[in-house]
Amino acid sequence: VERTLVLAKPDAVRKNVVGKIIARFEDEGFKLVALKKLKLTKEQAGQFYIVHKERPFYDELCEFMSSGPIVAMVWEGENAIARVRAIMGATDPAKAEEGTLRKLYGSNVGENAVHGSDSVESANYEIPFFFSGLELI
Ligand code: ATP
Ligand code: MG
């Protein structure tokens, strides 16, 4: 059983679709391990996305991720990392498959509604970034 970190990004919170995102993961059979709403500073967003430091969109990404509240959650299930990525769809909502969260709720390649850990290694960095051991139940 795997755990993965999911974020409802600022655009999803502004669009009032956090409940729909949570419901989708429940419907797909995942178990909710942890959940909180918070607002990152630009510096904190930069630390979270530090692997993208050299990418041309890094500054824009950090501005966006600190532009409003987000909802961080941890979901658990068989193959959770890959399955959550499939449910989210392609990074660019215009290229995402019908029915995926980014197709449904994303606006563009930057404002794409959700984040999901892309590997066990990423999940091991991202889950403790938001949650202490006591909060993971
Ligand atoms: P995430 O890591 O958020 O789950 P991802 O793994 O599909 O998304 P990454 O390549 O890791 O995509 O990019 C991280 C985030 O950076 C994207 O989700 C998006 O918000 C932003 N991003 C990616 N490419 C671009 C781009 N070309 N222009 C603007 N923002 C981008
Ligand atoms: Mg990624």
Side-chain angles (χ1 to χ4, degrees):
V1 189
E2 270 175 2
R3 287 178 172 187
T4 189
L5 188 280
V6 173
L7 300 178
K9 296 186 177 184
D11 58 323
V13 174
R14 283 193 280 265
K15 284 183 183 175
N16 265 350
V17 294
V18 174
K20 292 183 193 302
I21 291 167
I22 292 169
R24 179 64 175 275
F25 291 121
E26 287 186 335
D27 290 346
E28 299 275 356
F30 295 100
K31 293 297 174 202
L32 184 61
V33 172
L35 178 138
K36 68 171 79 165
K37 185 183 184 193
L38 70 152
K39 188 172 182 291
L40 294 173
T41 64
K42 190 176 176 185
E43 291 67 32
Q44 289 167 333
Q47 277 307 307
F48 180 74
Y49 276 120
I50 194 75
V51 292
H52 295 313
K53 200 176 182 354
E54 305 303 329
R55 307 278 282 276
F57 56 79
Y58 181 69
D59 189 69
E60 185 188 331
L61 173 61
C62 297
E63 279 289 345
F64 166 58
M65 288 302 292
S66 59
S67 68
I70 61 173
V71 176
M73 48 199 126
V74 176
W75 291 95
E76 183 177 273
E78 292 295 332
N79 249 325
I81 293 169
R83 283 172 56 217
V84 163
R85 300 272 298 178
I87 291 163
M88 291 186 342
T91 308
D92 183 352
K95 296 175 185 155
E97 281 187 55
E98 277 319 310
T100 60
L101 294 175
R102 282 167 168 170
K103 183 70 169 193
L104 287 165
Y105 308 125
S107 301
N108 55 62
V109 70
E111 306 203 359
N112 58 7
V114 281
H115 163 87
S117 306
D118 64 8
S119 64
V120 171
E121 187 190 18
S122 298
N124 286 343
Y125 174 73
E126 293 174 358
I127 292 171
F129 187 94
F130 286 103
F131 298 100
S132 74
L134 285 173
E135 295 174 305
L136 297 162
I137 41 180

